[in-house]
Amino acid sequence: VVPYDSANYRIAFVESFKRWGIYPIGIRTLSVESLSYPSELKQDFAPSKSWTNAPNRLECYLKLESIFKDYFNSIGEYSTREEIFNKNIETKKVIHEMIVEVSEQDKVILENLTGLMFSTNYNKSWTLQEKKKSNRELGKNERPDIGYFQRNFTENIVSEEEKDITIEQIRVKYRLRPANDSVDERKYISTEVHSIHRSQRVGPDGKIANHIILTLLQHAEVKYVRKGEKAKRNLNFKGGCTIIIGMAGSDDIKVIKKPINDIERLKSQILYNEMFSETESPFASTAKNKVKGRTDKEPFAALHSD
């Protein structure tokens, strides 16, 4: 929206976060350039003649591009929230079907773009565990053919609160897609097309920036144990990405990734969860927060109080 920041608003934001001690992980220096997400180009993900099965990939790519154009143009014509809601649901279903039907070879392209897991064949440290149930055993939202794509390992982490924790397993659900006229039977990792929105913003020069914002989510079940305890603890670990797609002549794609198989991020979340008891909130006042090592720290919520 503002490619040339003559008023230095971006620098002001960076300096403000720096003064409050809020730093992103993996960034050594705080600057506008280092904090900007890199832009991908659409042609990097469009099929070329050198690809195997290029006609099918070209058809898939053009179909997805057509879906985005149709969504962007039609959503502005609706006058009620119900019409917009129904169009969002319809478009999310179409995108989910395309993700499910993509071939194993093409899933690598999706993984490079989104940082999520789509293929069940690419990593030997992950194994498939079938879990077929009868109709009587099925849960409310389960299908007859379901299993887990899991990784068993022993990853030890020690927190600042002197808690010794070992991660034992991380697993994601996969489902079986029956064969039809267009695709063979295949397994796919459960992925949620969480949301899709149209964005139109006007810059100070009067130019309109048109984008589609697409969000994908994946869930993983994590088992870990604390030293001295026999009972295992469970964690619902979430990963996903937000894809910002330029429309109406824009050729850039920005992707904000939170991979589901990011072990370092998983460690950070477990340590954060273990830092507080079940009855204490990290946003409680420091006088009531008696967690070891945090009595002298200002709660995050206080940073935004009047």
Side-chain angles (χ1 to χ4, degrees), residues 155-167 224-227 233 266-276 291-294 297:
E155 189 77 19
N156 183 260
I157 52 178
V158 180
S159 71
E160 296 178 357
E161 317 298 331
E162 300 177 359
K163 294 177 181 177
D164 198 332
I165 302 168
T166 301
I167 307 174
Y224 67 95
V225 62
R226 289 173 55 176
K227 186 177 180 180
R233 301 193 174 199
L266 172 59
K267 290 179 182 179
S268 299
Q269 183 166 335
I270 291 177
L271 290 178
Y272 180 81
N273 289 354
E274 291 295 320
M275 191 177 295
F276 305 97
V291 180
K292 182 179 178 181
R294 293 191 62 87
K297 294 185 179 180

Side-chain angles (χ1 to χ4, degrees), residues 11 25 27 58 115 125 146 167 181 234 236 243 267 280 300:
I11 296 176
I25 298 174
I27 301 295
L58 178 61
S125 63
I146 185 174
I167 307 174
D181 295 337
N234 298 316
N236 181 20
I243 309 174
K267 290 179 182 179
E280 290 178 309
F300 183 79

Side-chain angles (χ1 to χ4, degrees), residues 25 32 75 84 96 100 104 140 148 179 196 203 213 223 242 246 288 294 305:
I25 298 174
V32 174
I75 204 74
I84 296 175
H96 185 268
V100 170
E104 286 293 328
K140 183 178 179 180
Y148 292 101
I196 183 170
I213 303 174
K223 295 183 182 298
T242 298
K288 296 181 180 179
R294 293 191 62 87
S305 62

Side-chain angles (χ1 to χ4, degrees), residues 7 12 26 50 107 127 136 160 173 183 230 239 277 289:
S50 61
K107 286 178 180 178
T127 58
R136 291 183 179 180
E160 296 178 357
K173 287 183 179 179
V183 295
K230 293 183 179 180
S277 69
N289 191 344

Side-chain angles (χ1 to χ4, degrees), residues 3-261:
Y4 304 104
D5 184 14
S6 57
N8 294 324
Y9 289 123
R10 292 184 178 92
I11 296 176
F13 272 108
V14 172
E15 289 297 323
S16 178
F17 280 108
K18 185 177 179 180
R19 290 184 181 183
W20 283 112
I22 302 174
Y23 296 89
I25 298 174
I27 301 295
R28 294 186 176 182
T29 58
L30 292 182
S31 66
V32 174
E33 292 75 17
S34 64
L35 294 175
S36 299
Y37 279 94
S39 293
E40 311 287 353
L41 295 178
K42 289 181 181 178
Q43 56 261 33
D44 293 339
F45 303 98
S48 64
K49 294 181 180 179
S50 61
W51 289 6
T52 58
N53 199 21
N56 290 339
R57 296 187 183 192
L58 178 61
E59 180 182 353
C60 179
Y61 176 80
L62 293 178
K63 183 178 179 181
L64 190 58
E65 191 173 45
S66 174
I67 291 171
F68 288 145
K69 287 182 178 179
D70 172 70
Y71 173 81
F72 185 87
N73 294 328
S74 63
I75 204 74
E77 300 174 359
Y78 297 131
S79 57
T80 66
R81 294 175 63 88
E82 182 180 3
E83 290 177 319
I84 296 175
F85 175 81
N86 291 334
K87 182 63 177 179
N88 287 345
I89 295 296
E90 175 190 337
T91 306
K92 289 195 293 182
K93 285 182 178 179
V94 174
I95 295 174
H96 185 268
E97 286 298 312
M98 293 194 65
I99 293 175
V100 170
E101 293 185 357
V102 73
S103 66
E104 286 293 328
Q105 295 86 348
D106 295 344
K107 286 178 180 178
V108 177
I109 300 173
L110 283 178
E111 289 178 346
N112 291 337
L113 172 63
T114 64
L116 301 181
M117 296 174 62
F118 293 101
S119 174
T120 58
N121 298 328
Y122 76 102
N123 197 323
K124 293 182 179 180
S125 63
W126 292 75
T127 58
L128 288 173
Q129 179 188 5
E130 293 188 6
K131 182 185 177 184
K132 293 188 177 181
K133 296 181 178 181
S134 66
N135 291 330
R136 291 183 179 180
E137 297 173 322
L138 288 176
K140 183 178 179 180
N141 298 319
E142 287 185 340
R143 300 178 183 177
D145 296 291
I146 185 174
Y148 292 101
F149 189 46
Q150 65 185 36
R151 177 184 173 187
N152 297 317
F153 59 106
T154 303
E155 189 77 19
N156 183 260
I157 52 178
V158 180
S159 71
E160 296 178 357
E161 317 298 331
E162 300 177 359
K163 294 177 181 177
D164 198 332
I165 302 168
T166 301
I167 307 174
E168 294 187 347
Q169 185 185 82
I170 178 173
R171 65 182 187 177
V172 294
K173 287 183 179 179
Y174 78 85
R175 302 190 183 278
L176 183 66
R177 174 59 182 257
N180 55 36
D181 295 337
S182 59
V183 295
D184 298 328
E185 179 183 271
R186 61 189 57 174
K187 296 181 178 71
Y188 68 94
I189 294 177
S190 182
T191 305
E192 174 189 352
V193 182
H194 183 70
S195 64
I196 183 170
H197 300 285
R198 186 179 87 154
S199 170
Q200 286 188 301
R201 297 173 295 169
V202 181
D205 56 356
K207 292 183 179 180
I208 301 177
N210 299 311
H211 295 90
I212 283 180
I213 303 174
L214 176 67
T215 303
L216 304 177
L217 283 181
Q218 288 183 335
H219 299 260
E221 299 175 13
V222 179
K223 295 183 182 298
Y224 67 95
V225 62
R226 289 173 55 176
K227 186 177 180 180
E229 295 182 0
K230 293 183 179 180
K232 296 181 181 180
R233 301 193 174 199
N234 298 316
L235 173 69
N236 181 20
F237 184 57
K238 297 179 181 180
C241 71
T242 298
I243 309 174
I244 305 173
I245 307 162
M247 302 297 295
S250 177
D251 204 33
D252 68 308
I253 300 176
K254 287 187 179 293
V255 185
I256 303 171
K257 306 175 184 179
K258 298 288 184 181
I260 195 70
N261 57 349

